[in-house]
Amino acid sequence: MSDGGFSFGLVGLSPLVVLPVMALAVWGIARLARPELESQPPQVQRGLAWLRRGAVALILLMLLEPTLTRLARERELPTVAVLVDRSGSMALTDRQMAATDRLDEAVGLG
């Protein structure tokens, strides 16, 4: 079973910083491009203007980093791992164990 929805957020730089800087950049680009575009045919002017707008939009998106997140809850049974060590070091008959330690283990196990 899952329930939830979508969440939109901007995880990049703050829009309060990015938007004024981008507005200043767009103004500067338009001012610098005006003399260049005046000598071009109308189709080239429109094409270059669209390319510049697209570049500004991509830079704006990269700086703001918009994210769309899907929130969901799923119920599943917890997983438990059971490990059994049957090696010689875990047995009471371990020959490396001192006699007093073996006696303590035997008493502890009954």
Side-chain angles (χ1 to χ4, degrees):
M1 297 187 140
S2 66
D3 57 340
F6 290 94
S7 171
F8 178 79
L10 300 172
V11 297
L13 297 173
S14 171
L16 298 175
V17 173
V18 172
L19 293 177
V21 170
M22 288 303 292
L24 184 63
V26 167
W27 176 81
I29 289 170
R31 184 175 168 97
L32 290 173
R34 189 174 302 133
E36 173 193 353
L37 291 177
E38 287 175 353
S39 64
Q40 300 295 326
Q43 287 181 327
V44 173
Q45 288 180 4
R46 283 192 296 273
L48 289 175
W50 278 105
L51 285 174
R52 287 187 177 107
R53 288 181 196 132
V56 168
L58 285 175
I59 292 171
L60 182 64
L61 285 175
M62 285 191 295
L63 291 174
L64 292 177
E65 295 182 47
T67 58
L68 182 65
T69 307
R70 181 176 170 257
L71 305 173
R73 290 184 188 204
E74 296 183 10
R75 297 179 187 179
E76 58 183 63
L77 295 174
T79 304
V80 177
V82 177
L83 302 173
V84 178
D85 188 358
R86 297 187 52 111
S87 65
S89 65
M90 298 303 289
L92 279 178
T93 59
D94 189 4
R95 299 294 174 216
Q96 296 176 350
M97 190 182 291
T100 56
D101 293 336
R102 278 189 280 165
L103 181 61
D104 289 340
E105 291 286 331
V107 170
L109 291 173

